[in-house]
Amino acid sequence: MEFIQNFLQQSITFFAIMDPIGVSAIALSLLNENITKTQMNMIAKRSSLTIVIAFFVVLISGDLILKIFSISEDSLKVMGGIVLILMAISMVNGKDKEKTRNESKNDTELAFIPIGIPIAFGAGLFTTIIIFKSQAANLVDLVSISFAFCINALIFYIVLKNSIYIKKYLGITGQNIVTKLMGLIVGAIAVQFIVSGVVHLTNSYL
């Protein structure tokens, strides 16, 4: 029961921060207007593979990062929460993530950078993964985190692959509404991180 509860919380958190529908809209603005379905499928595969590799790199090295910089879990929660709040405000206000097109790169190269990193996998996911890793008590918790992210990576792939059709049916307004809703969820998660971190830090110094 606890495994399912943690898995659902992690899945919703990853989904809200990743915002696949919002990212797909940004991706289309970066790519060639005449991009084909086959090319879009290839870009979706490469971007999804990029974020999965980035996830496991952060998951494996998370403890090392905390030890090197002598950062406590609670301090990371507070700082991570602040990062997520800034991200949530940007999403609610309708400000896009980074979307600078490098004309010297072809569309398949853009799948790795910037679509994979840092648009889909940015600072928000980075800090959230480290926080979840620091909270993991055993191997089952790590499996839950990994499974939750991989499910979202699959959703990201499906959404990005079909982004041309999603844009057609939802339109810019629909995509913006979804992003704003995700922003509210990210903001609520950020507040939980900050409150939890501040409470534990306060108790440790009293």
Side-chain angles (χ1 to χ4, degrees):
M1 185 64 183
E2 185 179 352
F3 175 86
I4 296 175
Q5 184 178 354
N6 290 337
F7 170 73
L8 290 175
Q9 179 189 6
Q10 292 155 0
S11 297
I12 293 170
T13 301
F14 286 143
F15 181 81
I17 296 173
M18 195 180 297
D19 184 22
I21 294 178
V23 170
S24 69
I26 297 172
L28 286 179
S29 71
L30 293 171
L31 301 171
N32 192 302
E33 293 181 2
N34 300 317
I35 191 168
T36 65
K37 182 179 178 181
T38 302
Q39 290 173 320
M40 200 69 221
N41 184 38
M42 178 61 69
I43 290 168
K45 284 182 179 178
R46 293 186 176 187
S47 296
S48 301
L49 180 61
T50 299
I51 65 174
V52 169
I53 292 173
F55 165 77
F56 282 107
V57 168
V58 174
L59 187 69
I60 293 170
S61 62
D63 291 339
L64 181 62
I65 293 173
L66 294 179
K67 290 177 181 178
I68 289 175
F69 295 100
S70 300
I71 301 172
S72 70
E73 172 192 332
D74 298 317
S75 298
L76 183 64
K77 277 186 178 181
V78 175
M79 190 61 225
I82 293 172
V83 171
L84 290 179
I85 278 186
L86 294 175
M87 180 180 173
I89 292 173
S90 178
M91 293 169 73
V92 171
N93 287 337
K95 296 180 181 179
D96 289 337
K97 300 177 183 178
E98 178 188 350
K99 57 174 190 176
T100 303
R101 179 179 174 89
N102 187 335
E103 296 296 342
S104 65
K105 292 185 177 181
N106 59 41
D107 288 335
T108 53
E109 289 176 325
L110 293 172
F112 302 111
I113 297 174
I115 296 174
I117 299 172
I119 294 177
F121 194 102
L125 274 180
F126 180 86
T127 53
T128 302
I129 292 166
I130 294 180
I131 290 172
F132 281 158
K133 170 71 181 297
S134 66
Q135 293 174 333
N138 48 49
L139 181 60
V140 174
D141 291 337
L142 293 178
V143 170
S144 174
I145 297 168
S146 302
F147 192 41
F149 188 89
C150 288
I151 288 293
N152 274 282
L154 177 61
I155 294 172
F156 173 78
Y157 164 71
I158 294 171
V159 171
L160 190 57
K161 176 184 176 182
N162 297 285
S163 56
I164 298 173
Y165 306 106
I166 293 173
K167 183 177 181 180
K168 179 181 177 181
Y169 290 110
L170 281 183
I172 299 299
T173 302
Q175 289 173 319
N176 287 339
I177 290 173
V178 172
T179 296
K180 289 178 187 294
L181 290 174
M182 293 300 101
L184 292 175
I185 295 174
V186 171
I189 293 167
V191 171
Q192 287 183 330
F193 280 164
I194 292 173
V195 171
S196 175
V198 168
V199 168
H200 284 94
L201 283 172
T202 302
N203 290 337
S204 66
Y205 285 105
L206 291 180

